[in-house]
Every structure is written in C-alpha cells, then in structure tokens.
Amino acid sequence: MSTTTPFPQGFLWGGATAANQVEGAYGQGGKGLSVQDVMPRGIVGPRTAEPTADNLKLEAIDFYHRYAEDIALFAKMGFGVYRFSIAWSRIFPKGDEAEPNEEGLAFYDRVLDELEKHGIEPLVTISHYETPLHLAETYDGWTDRRLIGFYENYARTLFERYGSRVKYWLTFNEINSLLHAPFMSGGINTPKEQLSDAQLYQAMHHELVASARATRIAREVAPNAQIGCMVLSMPVYPLTPSPADALAVMDFDHSNLVYGDVHTRGAYPGYFLRTLREKGIELEITDQDREDLTNTVDFVSFSYYMSVAQTADPAKKVTGEGNIMGGVPNPTLEASEWGWQIDPVGLRLVLNQFWDRWQKPLFIVENGLGARDELVEVDGVPTVIDDYRIAYLNDHLVQVGEAITDGVNVLGYTSWGCIDIVSASTAQLSKRYGFIYVDRNDDGSGTLERFEKKSFGWYAEVIRTNGASLTR
Ligand code: BG6
C-alpha cells in the first residue's frame, strides 16, 4: 500500500441517502404524502392514484426508527459527513401551509443529535424528489410560480431551525433532471407527453429562482451556511470524430451545464437564450427574478454514475439506459446490470470541466454501483463479498485523486446509498449500492436487519488512510 495520498487533509469522506428512499414511516409523525408515495415502480412504471402496499418506499429501510443504529454504523466506517434529505412533507405535510409540523422538525433534530454525537458533519438536501403530493395535484408542481413561495417558506423554516447546526446545504437534488422526469423531479402532475416545452422551461425557471432565493435567505438567517446547487453530471463523448458529432456533444452538454451556469454566474447564458428563441418560448421572468438569480452558490455538488456518447446521425441515435437522461451507448465501455455504462475516467473529466468552468469548490455527493448482492455466511456471520463494488469505487476514487492532482478543488465525497435503499428509477431494493446490507427484498419480505458487506471494511480503510489505501 502506498503511504502517499492526493486527498487533502480535511477531505470529507462519507455517504449519502434521500428521505424517501430510506425513512419509510409513511403517514407517521404527521407526514403528508409525497410524489414518491404514488410511484411504486419508480420512474419506469405508472403512478397510482393512492399509495399501494407494493410501494417499497412506504416502509423503505425504516431509517425513521433505526437512524441511531445506522448512524452508529456510518461512524464505525469513519464517516466525516453524511448527506441526507429532509422530507418536505414531514415539515409541511401539504406543502402550502403557513406553519410547519413540529413533529417532523423534531425528528431531524434527533438525527442531527446523533450525528453530532459521532462527530459527523451533516450535508442536507432540501428537496430530493419528494415534493408534497398536494402541490403536484393542486398546483401542477413547479409549473406554478406559487411553488417558489412555498419552497421559500420551507427553506427558511429549515435554516431557522437547523442553521446553527448544519453547514452544508443543497437546494434541489439533480435540478437538471426536471425536464426528463417532471413528476418525480418537479412534482408536475400533467403527464410528460402532454407538457409543452414552454411549461417545462417555465418550471425550470421557477426552481432556479427558488434555489437562488434560498441562498439569499440563508445569507440572512444562517450566515455560516454554505449553499450548493446539485446537478446530475453526465460527461459526454462524440460517437465519432466528426464535427457534427462534436456539435451534438456541445448541445447535450449545454442542456445540462445551463443549471450550473445560472447557479454560479447568476444569469442565463447566451446559448440558453438562443434555445428559447428558436423554440419560440418567451419565459415569464420578472425584474425581481433577475435580481434573485444573482444570489450565487458557494459550491457545486453533483452525482456521477456514468457517461454517454452523442451523435448527430439519426440512424445511430438509439438512447441507451442510464441515470434518468441516458444517451447513446459508448461502444468502448462496459455497463452495470441496469445498463449504466461504467467510466471512472469520466469522473476526472467532469471534475476538471466543472472546476475550469465555474471555479467553485466541488462536492461529489453521489457515486456508486447498483448491483444484486448475495448474502453469504463467513465464519458464521452474514455478509456480502462485493468485490465488484469495491473495484468500481476504488477506480472512481483513484480518478478523484487524479483530478485533485490536476488542481481541482474537491471538498468531499459521499458514496450513494451507503446503506441499501430503495432505488429511485426502478423502486427496487435488489438494486443495492450499500456498504451495509439490509435484509429486505423486492416483494417486501425480510427482517430489516443490517449486515456489514466486505466493502464496509474496505471503505473504512480508505477513510482511515485518507485515500492512501486505494489501489492505483
Ligand atoms: C440519482 C438520484 O439519480 O441516482 C438518487 O439522486 C438515485 O435518488 C440515484 O437513487 C441512483 O439511481 P437509482 O435509480 O439506481 O436509484
């Protein structure tokens, strides 16, 4: 093992989850319904009118009752940071109330107490794919400007309550997924096929303004808070060296980079205004909106799972599987069982691209491999020999080290689904990401007991050595 490491002292190592994928306790503590409660098949299947018993998220992995045990396991791995989200519908059950639900607020006080006890820094996502269902059904989600005010009230409530205890905040999870998954990402009730581009871009504008207003409120209410945006990163390669394919790459990149551009520069970039003009869309943007957008973020966070290729050739433009948006499969890469193409170098590329472009500290807040695990016994103790996960994480972390050596400012890394959780895209439990195995199956059976996988000890060693134990 090497004794040197490119990771700076104080680099934040940890893991990440989202409320709707771990908490369960559906309907408890005064919680209202969220869009997730009517998505039993994630984004791949139809939504239901009411929550149905086959929706694994109603119980999820019962973090709501087991958070102390789970946080103790994170501490055993040496986590310096834990990213989790607050369920909007625990705090404002319908989303449009004036006053928050105290029981919901008290739950996150207890989670923060537990993290403090173990010296783990919280990293809080304010909105992670869990818009209150009432806002979807009554207002059509973020298509309606009034959502800005409801979100503002929610964000202010969180900053006032937890602002002295939480330093790192993310406004919206994967804000650039809105156009691809309008119901899950934006609480937009109208089916995607029936939405016009104008409605979708207006919803995007509302979220961007809400995000900027949250940043402004944090500056007043919680001056020590560091506010970050959060984007789904998808590095993209031209399928061939043709200039036309390079342009297809630029267009795809622009469609994602615009979110970070607005969050870091405080205004819409020219290429985006061109897109609107060419689509004949005139967004409703007030002077106050323009002013609000100038409240730029302190850092940029992102998820990274895979890269894609793009082409201008319609005959080759088949869209492969992937994290929400997908793209043209890259013939040089292997894929996970769910068709997500594995590309550790893509992480170094995206870190460099974001740093070069925005010059803001970066935080990798999601990365990991969804895989089927088999529980076995070793010396009488149940475990999973997940060498495939160790290899995936090792190779990605080596590339993070390369990017740091390139001069990129990286604050930390939180591995996605550090404990097994319900998948966002397919709502399965069998798509596991964790260092900790949770005994729960896709049919809902299982004891919910937790077991350490082989990767648990491996990650603990990576953290203990600040990355020196990685295999380069
Ligand atoms: C991101 C989301 O898209 O990817 C997470 O922020 C999600 O909520 C993660 O769980 C992995 O995707 P999936 O579909 O495998 O759960």
Side-chain angles (χ1 to χ4, degrees):
M1 184 187 97
S2 152
T3 49
T4 58
T5 177
F7 293 88
Q9 263 198 341
F11 185 83
L12 286 166
W13 296 96
T17 61
N20 72 86
Q21 293 171 266
V22 295
E23 285 181 7
Y26 148 79
Q28 292 180 38
K31 183 183 180 299
L33 295 179
S34 90
V35 291
Q36 293 291 344
D37 293 318
V38 294
M39 298 179 72
R41 297 286 166 272
I43 42 179
V44 295
R47 55 163 290 192
T48 50
E50 302 283 331
T52 48
D54 62 341
N55 187 341
L56 289 178
K57 282 165 274 186
L58 303 189
E59 192 183 2
I61 61 158
D62 197 30
F63 179 81
Y64 187 77
H65 297 108
R66 296 168 192 250
Y67 63 92
E69 178 194 344
D70 292 340
I71 290 170
L73 286 168
F74 301 158
K76 190 173 170 193
M77 267 186 283
F79 279 20
V81 60
Y82 171 48
R83 173 184 176 222
F84 62 99
S85 72
I86 291 182
W88 189 344
S89 61
R90 279 201 190 284
I91 311 302
F92 290 95
K94 291 166 81 177
D96 57 0
E97 301 92 336
E99 295 304 323
N101 167 34
E102 175 55 35
E103 236 185 308
L105 288 167
F107 169 64
Y108 297 103
D109 277 332
R110 295 197 293 277
V111 170
L112 291 173
D113 289 345
E114 214 53 37
L115 291 171
E116 266 166 35
K117 198 166 105 189
H118 292 287
I120 299 175
E121 183 97 50
L123 166 55
V124 171
T125 316
I126 296 174
S127 179
H128 190 132
Y129 297 161
E130 45 218 357
T131 308
L133 187 61
H134 173 76
L135 296 184
E137 291 179 338
T138 311
Y139 301 89
D140 213 8
W142 283 95
T143 60
D144 192 309
R145 179 171 278 277
R146 284 172 291 181
L147 268 273
I148 300 174
F150 302 143
Y151 179 89
E152 245 187 290
N153 191 27
Y154 169 49
R156 182 182 289 279
T157 303
L158 300 188
F159 294 141
E160 282 175 353
R161 179 80 168 218
Y162 312 120
S164 60
R165 313 179 73 182
V166 177
K167 181 172 170 195
Y168 296 105
W169 297 85
L170 309 179
T171 53
F172 288 94
N173 182 63
E174 297 188 334
I175 190 167
N176 54 324
S177 63
L178 178 71
L179 271 50
H180 305 272
F183 183 62
M184 181 174 80
S185 181
I188 301 176
N189 215 29
T190 303
K192 192 176 170 185
E193 323 71 68
Q194 292 168 28
L195 284 164
S196 66
D197 283 348
Q199 282 172 300
L200 282 169
Y201 282 111
Q202 190 66 46
M204 165 187 173
H205 174 68
H206 293 152
E207 280 202 357
L208 288 167
V209 170
S211 179
R213 282 209 200 164
T215 304
R216 194 191 61 205
I217 295 166
R219 305 270 183 258
E220 292 161 19
V221 178
N224 296 325
Q226 292 282 297
I227 310 295
C229 57
M230 197 299 199
V231 293
L232 183 168
S233 78
M234 191 72 90
V236 50
Y237 304 95
L239 194 61
T240 73
S242 80
D245 281 5
L247 273 180
V249 162
M250 184 186 81
D251 288 343
F252 180 81
D253 238 355
H254 276 165
S255 71
N256 286 318
L257 292 170
V258 57
Y259 298 83
D261 283 354
V262 174
H263 273 106
T264 57
R265 299 172 178 165
Y268 286 110
Y271 63 82
F272 180 71
L273 300 175
R274 175 179 183 167
T275 302
L276 295 181
R277 273 197 310 276
E278 291 183 353
K279 285 179 181 286
I281 297 172
E282 231 175 278
L283 288 186
E284 187 207 312
I285 304 179
T286 66
D287 289 344
Q288 183 62 50
D289 290 350
R290 282 184 221 285
E291 167 69 29
D292 286 335
L293 288 179
T294 63
N295 292 281
T296 53
V297 289
D298 299 302
F299 68 100
V300 172
S301 76
F302 66 92
S303 61
Y304 177 73
Y305 295 93
M306 56 175 291
S307 61
V308 288
Q310 286 296 343
T311 175
D313 182 347
K316 294 189 189 138
K317 223 177 162 63
V318 280
T319 297
E321 290 163 285
N323 186 15
I324 300 177
M325 54 188 64
V328 178
N330 181 333
T332 70
L333 298 174
E334 303 282 318
S336 82
E337 239 185 284
W338 277 264
W340 297 23
Q341 291 202 297
I342 299 170
D343 178 17
V345 170
L347 180 51
R348 176 179 177 186
L349 294 174
V350 88
L351 279 162
N352 272 278
Q353 181 192 32
F354 287 0
W355 174 247
D356 291 348
R357 192 175 181 98
W358 297 320
Q359 294 282 298
K360 296 271 185 194
L362 302 174
F363 212 131
I364 304 154
V365 294
E366 285 188 32
N367 174 238
L369 177 70
R372 284 180 212 281
D373 288 338
E374 193 197 340
L375 199 62
V376 295
E377 287 214 353
V378 175
D379 301 330
V381 181
T383 186
V384 175
I385 309 299
D386 53 347
D387 291 317
Y388 38 91
R389 180 169 295 109
I390 293 173
Y392 178 101
L393 294 170
N394 180 83
D395 295 354
H396 283 74
L397 284 168
V398 166
Q399 294 303 321
V400 176
E402 289 295 325
I404 291 170
T405 308
D406 293 332
V408 179
N409 182 352
V410 189
L411 295 171
Y413 173 90
T414 56
S415 166
W416 180 248
C418 46
I419 179 166
D420 291 345
I421 62 179
V422 184
S423 142
S425 56
T426 61
Q428 293 168 296
L429 244 153
S430 52
K431 191 180 186 190
R432 297 174 183 272
Y433 286 86
F435 303 111
I436 301 163
Y437 184 92
V438 177
D439 180 21
R440 194 167 189 224
N441 307 304
D442 287 345
D443 62 5
S445 62
T447 61
L448 289 171
E449 244 187 291
R450 276 64 166 150
F451 301 107
E452 296 173 18
K453 302 181 193 176
K454 184 177 177 185
S455 55
F456 185 103
W458 172 84
Y459 194 46
E461 187 61 7
V462 172
I463 296 175
R464 193 187 66 76
T465 62
N466 199 27
S469 65
L470 293 168
T471 309
R472 293 186 179 82

